[in-house]
Amino acid sequence: MHADQRCVLTGTHFINGDAACCEGALSAGARFAAGYPITPSTEIVERFSARAPQVGGLFIQMEDELASSIALQGMVWAGQKSFTVTSGPGYSLMMEHIGYAAITETPCVFVDVQRGGPSTGLPTLPAQGDMMQARWGSHGDYLTIALTPNSPQECYSLTIKAFNLAEQFRVPVMFMMDECVGHMTEKVVIPKAEEIEIYPRRLASKPPGEFNLFEAGEDLVPEMAHAGEGYKVYVTGLTHDKRGYPVLNPKAQHELVTRQFEKIRRAADELTIVETEEIEGADVVVVSYGITSRVAQRAIQMARDKGLKVGKLRLICVWPFPEKLIRELAPKVKALVMPELNMGQMVLELERCAGGKCQVISVPHAGGTVHKPADILAAIERGAR
Amino acid sequence: MLKEIRIAGFGGQGVILSAHIVGRAVSIHQGGYATMTQNYGPEARGGAASAALMVSDQPVLFPYVTHPDILVVLSQEAYTRYAPEMKSDGVLLVEEDLVRLENLPPQARVYGIPATRIAEELGKKMVLNVVMVGFFCAITKAVDREACLKAVSDSVPERFRKLNTEAFDRGFQFGEELLLKGPAKEEQTVGVGAVESDD
């Protein structure tokens, strides 16, 4: 399926990452956003509120982030593709409903334009401090998918990807931008609608009466029916059976949670979305994501100029973490270096997957700006020794 | 070649749009790369405005301007704040009626233009930023004239296109003439009012 021509601003633009994310959502088919303004994410829904009515869409400014994060799910069950956007403090408020989206398998996108934290922190400055929150923020056991763009161009293209993955796996997808990428203005090329692949909603293939709302087939992802289409649409945050009815016992819990884990786990290869450069034969590989990957690239160039054998591994999909790739890579290198705009979050996962087979060097940063390339270079040099 | 550019002034002078025009010209009409960032601190409200641009023939990696090769200032405050960050041999473009040059970086090449007055002559003070873009284009050659003109055209509403094109041309012409004379010395670019001594 291709994007709807009316919603795609085909052409070459000079826009910021927030604007590009909004255009990505529109291209992906999002027709509803619920949000509560918060820097540095506001421009996304500001633009959406102007653009959406032109294509039959709707934006509601809700009373807060709790309301936003559940209103969007109501709209998904009513038949639309929906998303919300926020930043740190608002993201924290949304955690309960991210768990709700996970257990109800509601396909939707949560955009978090990360700023310095904790709490109100640095409203106008970048950080990558919500990376673990994207994985573990809500209570209980669930898996999410999280993507990190490093340019306005990717804010466009990966937003489409985020919506597609949400529909394909029926999970809430976390779109982890940061203030720098969101507020940075660069060239963004928006292709023709017919060149944009859209993953359509997996709608019920059986008639009402024969259809169970949470009965999954081969790939463990159930088909969906919307409210008002004649199907029984019973959606609850309680543990439920294939009909969606609450069943509160260990067997139902086991079946539901393991299936929801397994549908993501078995797609690990497909969800290993990375960009690599010269990792074969490298002594040191720099692993990074988001805006930090660009600064890291600068450091990698500087290290290569000094004759060091340095590879690049950029994580585009950070959750699920590319475990297999790291397990294979670790024994072949002296060190993995991970700069990130937090005090060391994803590096914990990197260490776990490296399993002691090489040195893992964290290059933490409390946020507010990006790393100095020289600091990453120093870590590369340390790893190469 | 990577060039770091900062354009700064008061809110309302259109500094963000001027950076936007240059960035658009480089990245869309000239086939280069441009990354624009803005200051989003609380200081952006009610006074200072500043935009920064990295332009290059290669993709821009590090996003922030730290030591501008080219600094364009449209207010005294912007000059005081940003001049010390300039590269020692950088190019400084000033709105000469609004900026008094004190403690100039020793090797900086300075070019002044009465952009606001020129804009007023054109009948709309608002276009001073586009006068400045024309001037910038002539002096620094960091962006092609044609690319820049196209970017001006697609950055302003249809009914203001002619006015803005004129504004660009006036700034460009002023720059070309000034280039023949060479960069100004400090005492020649002293603007309105007497220089106050700090001693």
Side-chain angles (χ1 to χ4, degrees), chain A residues 229-274:
Chain A
E229 291 174 351
Y231 290 89
K232 272 186 192 158
V233 178
Y234 193 112
V235 181
T236 174
L238 289 167
T239 296
H240 42 267
D241 63 13
K242 64 183 182 183
R243 298 168 304 167
Y245 295 176
V247 180
L248 310 182
N249 63 42
K251 181 172 174 286
Q253 172 76 357
H254 175 80
E255 279 176 14
L256 183 69
V257 174
T258 52
R259 176 179 63 73
Q260 291 184 348
F261 260 66
E262 202 51 34
K263 71 176 176 180
I264 303 288
R265 277 191 177 154
R266 66 162 64 167
D269 287 343
E270 188 185 345
L271 291 170
T272 297
I273 308 171
V274 297

Side-chain angles (χ1 to χ4, degrees), chain B residues 22 49 78 81 83-84 104 114 146 149 154 163 166 174 199:
Chain B
V22 174
R81 178 162 175 191
L104 196 62
E146 287 312 306
L149 260 173
D154 44 49
L163 172 69
E166 263 174 42
F174 194 96
D199 304 329

Side-chain angles (χ1 to χ4, degrees), chain A residues 165-176:
Chain A
L165 291 172
E167 296 296 336
Q168 184 182 349
F169 293 100
R170 284 205 41 200
V171 285
V173 173
M174 307 297 134
F175 195 58
M176 305 304 285

